[in-house]
Amino acid sequence: MFALVRRVDLAEVIGAALVWKASGAGARSIAAWLGRPVDTVRGWLRRFERRAEYVRVYFTRLLVDTGVDPVPPALAATSFAAAVSAVVGAWRAAVSRWPDIGKVSPWLAVTAFSGGRLLSPTWP
């Protein structure tokens, strides 16, 4: 899987937007960096924000269940940043157990982990 359900852009593009937002960037600057319409980027960010706590819990559990020596993500300034941290942490935990997963980006792996539904309103 390389794309999220009902999204035209690749998972890596959306993932980059999520990471930049977690770092404090705004939708306009993210859209400019990615060369995407502001409304599209804003839609991704809003959808993720609405699901952030569910995403954080799901991927923190995945991190703890799969990691060889799991380290839960550090506290983050926002629920959005905490969710992104948990997503990347789960990827790192999976890589610690199955190194070949490291051959793909965190966002491709996360797309597979979520069945492509990371931004879906009914997931997890």
Side-chain angles (χ1 to χ4, degrees), residues 61-104:
R61 285 182 184 153
L62 184 63
L63 180 160
V64 170
D65 289 347
T66 60
V68 172
D69 190 15
V71 178
L75 293 176
T78 65
S79 61
F80 193 104
V84 170
S85 180
V87 166
V88 174
W91 173 78
R92 286 187 179 135
V95 169
S96 74
R97 184 169 298 276
W98 303 288
D100 285 345
I101 290 176
K103 293 178 182 177
V104 300

Side-chain angles (χ1 to χ4, degrees), residues 16-62:
L18 299 176
V19 169
W20 284 331
K21 173 66 175 175
S23 299
R28 289 186 191 280
S29 58
I30 294 169
W33 290 328
L34 295 175
R36 301 297 191 276
V38 174
D39 289 338
T40 298
V41 172
R42 193 172 285 131
W44 301 336
L45 301 178
R46 285 180 179 162
R47 178 60 60 102
F48 191 82
E49 180 72 43
R50 285 193 293 265
R51 308 291 298 155
E53 183 59 16
Y54 296 108
V55 170
R56 184 194 66 77
V57 168
Y58 179 86
F59 281 100
T60 299
R61 285 182 184 153
L62 184 63

